[in-house]
Every structure is written in structure tokens, then in C-alpha cells.
Amino acid sequence: QNRPLALLGLGRALLSLDRPEEALFALTNCIEFHPLAASTYQARQLASLAYLELDQVEAAEQMLMANLTDEHLTPSSLEWQTSIFDLGRLLYLTDRYAEAITRLEEAIARYPDSPRALEARYLAAESYRRRGMQLSAPPGDDVPASAYATRAADSAAMLASAVDRYIELRQVIVETEAERMLSLNEQRILRNTYVAQVQALSQLQRWQAAIDVYTAATNRYQRNPEALEAYVQIAHCYREMDQPLDARGTLEQAKIVLARLPDDANFTAA
């Protein structure tokens, strides 16, 4: 009776030791020889992680889909919840952004209070932005000229959705920060939303809106190297708006900020 739990625990330990092939041996034994055991659902989820470590994406996806389509598992279970978050992340990591959006949005809607919802919001926003960038790229020779306008409109819609989701995400983090200190991961996500939102706005040529976002970033990161990047990008936006004097003034501000940064400022991390 305890063998499925032992195989699951062994697989988890081996995966934590960065030994995914050995982990898979234990986990697949649990799945194949104890298909009705409760441990099997967790074993599938961990096996998916192991397959992904080994760059076997199709097998990783199959493990997660087995949980999501299992008639004995419901969305109220932790294993189903974990699997849909993992699937959204897998689709994002493999550049399947349209599919990732569907799964991530479903996960966020079902489990808004999950500890993983914040990362899912970020990955969803990034998926909208990256899908928009894909559609904005020059289409191949097999795409008819009549489809250009449709692709451009779809790209703009995706980028606009990304902007909206970055705004929502930043609001969620700011509200969290009012209640407690942010974790390191939350701080990184917050920082990245500034950069990614500006990238989306720049692609849409909404230069003033991009300046506003980066101005907020400079206020938040005055004593960090991130402020320099923000000033440089603000200057770029001013140049695109044909305002060279403002661009030059912004770069002069960047020089002042650089001179004031502490000697141990971590430029590599920024």
C-alpha cells in the first residue's frame, strides 16, 4: 500500500537532486503499476517537470493533459490546479503563446488567490506581448498580401491586451506591497512589468505612454541601475517624437543618476 508513496517520494527527491532520468524511472513506475493510487496524479505532474528538464516537451505535455482529462480528478483538487498552471507555463516556455494565453487565463480565473496566480498573470501578459510581436514580424512567402492588414490588426490587439494586463499586474503587486514586504520573485516581476509594458507601448508607437511608464520606474528605482535603463529608453521615445532637446536633457539626468549610484550597485543583476 505504501509503495506508490515511496516511488513518488523517491522521484521527488531525485528531481530535487537534478537527476531527472532517475526520477522518471521511479515516477513512471508509480504511474504504470499503480494507476488508481492517489500518488499517481502527483507523479504525473513531477514526471512532466522531469521530461521538461530533459527537453522532451511532448512527453511533458502528455503527463499534464493526463491529469486534466482524468475522469477521477476534478478542478477542485490540488493536482488539477497544479497541472493547469504547469501547462500554461510549459506552453509559454515553448513559444506557443496563443495556447499559453488560453490555459493561463483559465488558471487565473479559476484560482485567483493561488500563490501561483501572480506568476501566471505575468506569463499571460508576456504571452500577449510575444504573440503580438510574432504577428508583427514580416509574414512568410506563403502568406497572401491580403492577410497583412489582418495580421497587423491582430498584432495591435495582442499588444494592447498585454499593456492592460501589465497595468493590472502592477496594481496587484502594489496592493500586496501595502500589506507586506514583497518577495524577491515579486520584486523581479514588478521590475520586469515596467520594461515589458514599455516594449509593448513602443511597438504600438505610443511614445508618451511609454515615457509615463518609465518615468514611474525612475521614481521607484532612483538608487538602482534600473533607473539608467529607464532614462535611456525615455530619451529614445523623445527621439521618436522628434524632440531631440528633451532626449538630450533626459540623458543628462541619467548621468547625474549614474554619479549618485552606490559603488556596489549590481549592474549585472539589473
Side-chain angles (χ1 to χ4, degrees), residues 45-64:
Q45 187 261 330
L46 292 177
S48 174
L49 296 178
Y51 279 125
L52 199 56
E53 286 288 324
L54 297 170
D55 203 26
Q56 298 181 35
V57 176
E58 185 175 352
E61 185 175 352
Q62 287 174 351
M63 287 290 105
L64 297 175

Side-chain angles (χ1 to χ4, degrees), residues 226-239:
E226 284 86 347
L228 294 178
E229 174 67 15
Y231 279 117
V232 170
Q233 293 302 325
I234 290 172
H236 168 73
C237 293
Y238 277 128
R239 287 197 297 272

Side-chain angles (χ1 to χ4, degrees), residues 10 45 161 177 223 227:
L10 179 59
Q45 187 261 330
S161 294
E177 188 177 30
R223 300 282 295 172

Side-chain angles (χ1 to χ4, degrees), residues 34-188:
H34 306 280
L36 299 180
S39 304
T40 294
Y41 306 124
Q42 293 182 56
R44 286 174 183 160
Q45 187 261 330
L46 292 177
S48 174
L49 296 178
Y51 279 125
L52 199 56
E53 286 288 324
L54 297 170
D55 203 26
Q56 298 181 35
V57 176
E58 185 175 352
E61 185 175 352
Q62 287 174 351
M63 287 290 105
L64 297 175
M65 288 303 301
N67 269 356
L68 295 174
T69 58
D70 192 305
E71 61 181 2
H72 299 104
L73 208 58
T74 66
S76 62
S77 66
L78 181 60
E79 292 83 2
W80 202 97
Q81 176 180 332
T82 301
S83 294
I84 194 169
F85 277 115
D86 281 354
L87 181 58
R89 180 175 178 272
L90 181 150
L91 293 167
Y92 168 81
L93 291 174
T94 53
D95 302 339
R96 294 153 63 185
Y97 301 121
E99 296 173 75
I101 288 168
T102 300
R103 291 297 183 176
L104 290 166
E105 294 281 21
E106 180 183 358
I108 296 164
R110 285 183 181 273
Y111 314 106
D113 299 324
S114 166
R116 298 189 61 181
L118 185 70
E119 182 190 34
R121 288 177 182 274
Y122 174 69
L123 294 181
E126 276 290 275
S127 295
Y128 277 108
R129 183 181 70 84
R130 296 185 182 218
R131 180 56 180 159
M133 297 296 290
Q134 284 179 337
L135 292 169
S136 69
D141 296 335
D142 56 336
V143 177
S146 58
Y148 285 17
T150 300
R151 282 176 63 92
D154 291 343
S155 173
M158 284 287 173
L159 292 167
S161 294
V163 169
D164 291 339
R165 278 155 182 79
Y166 289 128
I167 294 172
E168 293 171 2
L169 174 58
R170 194 156 60 246
Q171 183 61 35
V172 169
I173 298 177
V174 168
E175 290 174 357
T176 300
E177 188 177 30
E179 299 174 358
R180 60 167 173 80
M181 184 178 294
L182 297 179
S183 68
L184 182 59
N185 190 52
E186 289 168 336
Q187 293 175 36
R188 288 171 174 167

